[in-house]
Amino acid sequence: MSNKMKIGIFGGTFSPIHNGHLNIAKNVKEKLDLDVVFIIPTYKTPDKKFSVENITPKDRYKMTKIAVKEMNEKWLKVSSYEFKKKEISLTYKTINHFKNKFPKDEIYFIMGEDRYFGLNKWEKYEEIMSNAKIVVYRRSEKINKRIGNEVIYLKDNYYDISSTNILTNFEWEDIPDSVKKYISSNNLYLKKITFNSLKEKRYEHSIAVASHARRLAEKHGYKNKQKAYLSGMVHDLFKLHNKDFLKSFYKENDPNYDETIPNEALHGFVCSLWLENEYKLNDKEILNAIKNHTLGIDNPSKLEKILFVADKISSDRKGDEIGKIRKLAYVDLDQTYNKLIKMLIKKLKKNNIKPHENTLNIYNDIIGKKKNESNLKRNKNKN
């Protein structure tokens, strides 16, 4: 009877780690009767491509640790080998490290079939093949007949989920809850999600709004500039989704569903709900600012004013009138907010659109205050 241990090593960026990764590790462990599987987050990959948002190796390593801890399986471990080396991660070096650490045991290198077809181009490919048994898992429903007998091809299950799909298609249910909480508490992936979800001009608008929101926060004494920036960046996250999806999502996820919300404002409500329920953001100030950024509300918070104004004075909006309002915004936030509410009402009336109750309330409040101020001024002059 052999005393050799069977050790699986499973590398990747894990940005973020998801249930698909964990299920792959479990499936390979069971099929090959492995004693232990090490998940190894890379420090930096050789084929690193442009990314609109850089998630640090430290964050990726921490998320992996959190996910493995939540899974609570003794056979599943996280290796800090590549993270601690702080250099480009090369597979042959990682396999050699484990070969030296466990000289009497068998090493199984786990990879997807999509990566396998480029394996012969990896540095010291022959060394990888000689020092480890290659385990390939399916990435699509179709069994790939090009994979030969020189590797262990696991055909029973396939895993088409990917971190890219999660970040592009809002498949947040595929991320462990503990990892979601880490992501939201550190505001990770919001820029990448926004970039993936919007067309170029809409993304540029979002970044412009974020920039104005941060500058308005600084100018008008709102201490958390980063919070203002994030609110601006994601405010239009669901802008390009069709109204049927937006209405359905809103109705299913909000117990206080309001059927009078205009179609043009639904994306703010859906964005707020998604951030709270799926992304696990628990900052009510941000959530309310995003929800109300198209309607305006009575007694808005400073962040709600900042986002509402930043959206309307965004640098991609042209014209002399907007230019004047943009200048005013950096002098008097309240006056700008009131002016923009009045402009919104005027625009809705011109287009024969009934304003929502929230918008009317703030408008009537503004008009009422103005009348009171005029009356006070008139009475003062009489005296």
Side-chain angles (χ1 to χ4, degrees), residues 23-153:
N23 288 334
I24 288 164
K26 185 177 181 181
N27 178 246
V28 175
K29 191 266 180 194
E30 291 174 352
K31 293 293 180 183
L32 302 180
D33 194 26
L34 302 184
D35 294 286
V36 61
V37 175
F38 287 95
I39 294 184
I40 314 168
T42 59
Y43 181 76
K44 186 189 240 183
T45 57
D47 59 345
K48 182 173 174 60
K49 298 176 183 177
F50 164 77
S51 177
V52 72
E53 181 180 3
N54 180 37
I55 307 300
T56 68
K58 185 177 181 180
D59 280 325
R60 292 188 289 102
Y61 176 72
K62 281 187 174 181
M63 286 188 284
T64 306
K65 289 277 286 184
I66 289 168
V68 169
K69 183 179 180 181
E70 182 179 324
M71 196 168 175
N72 194 27
E73 294 283 359
K74 290 183 179 179
W75 56 266
L76 186 62
K77 302 180 183 300
V78 181
S79 169
S80 61
Y81 168 71
E82 293 187 1
F83 168 65
K84 285 184 175 178
K85 281 190 72 177
K86 291 183 169 42
E87 63 182 35
I88 291 176
S89 302
L90 296 171
T91 298
Y92 83 90
K93 287 185 178 182
T94 302
I95 290 175
N96 284 344
H97 165 76
F98 279 89
K99 192 76 176 173
N100 292 331
K101 189 174 181 179
F102 305 101
K104 297 180 180 180
D105 302 317
E106 293 179 334
I107 306 297
Y108 292 75
F109 177 65
I110 304 164
M111 66 187 311
E113 62 185 5
D114 50 337
R115 295 178 69 209
Y116 167 72
F117 287 107
L119 181 60
N120 60 352
K121 297 177 182 177
W122 291 15
E123 190 168 341
K124 298 196 177 182
Y125 153 72
E126 295 85 357
E127 199 170 310
I128 293 172
M129 296 293 289
S130 63
N131 285 335
K133 294 185 178 181
I134 309 300
V135 181
V136 179
Y137 58 87
R138 281 169 56 200
R139 295 288 284 147
S140 65
E141 189 173 1
K142 186 178 179 182
I143 293 175
N144 200 314
K145 295 181 180 179
R146 292 184 296 154
I147 297 179
N149 296 326
E150 71 276 9
V151 302
I152 301 169
Y153 184 30

Side-chain angles (χ1 to χ4, degrees), residues 2-34:
S2 173
N3 291 323
K4 284 185 176 181
M5 279 207 310
K6 299 167 78 173
I7 299 169
I9 58 176
F10 185 18
T13 54
F14 302 109
S15 186
I17 189 166
H18 51 69
N19 293 328
H21 293 132
L22 300 173
N23 288 334
I24 288 164
K26 185 177 181 181
N27 178 246
V28 175
K29 191 266 180 194
E30 291 174 352
K31 293 293 180 183
L32 302 180
D33 194 26
L34 302 184

Side-chain angles (χ1 to χ4, degrees), residues 180 249 253-254 272-281:
K180 281 194 258 192
F249 189 97
N253 290 276
D254 193 338
S272 179
L273 287 166
W274 183 84
L275 287 170
E276 182 175 19
N277 297 338
E278 299 296 329
Y279 186 79
K280 301 300 180 185
L281 184 70

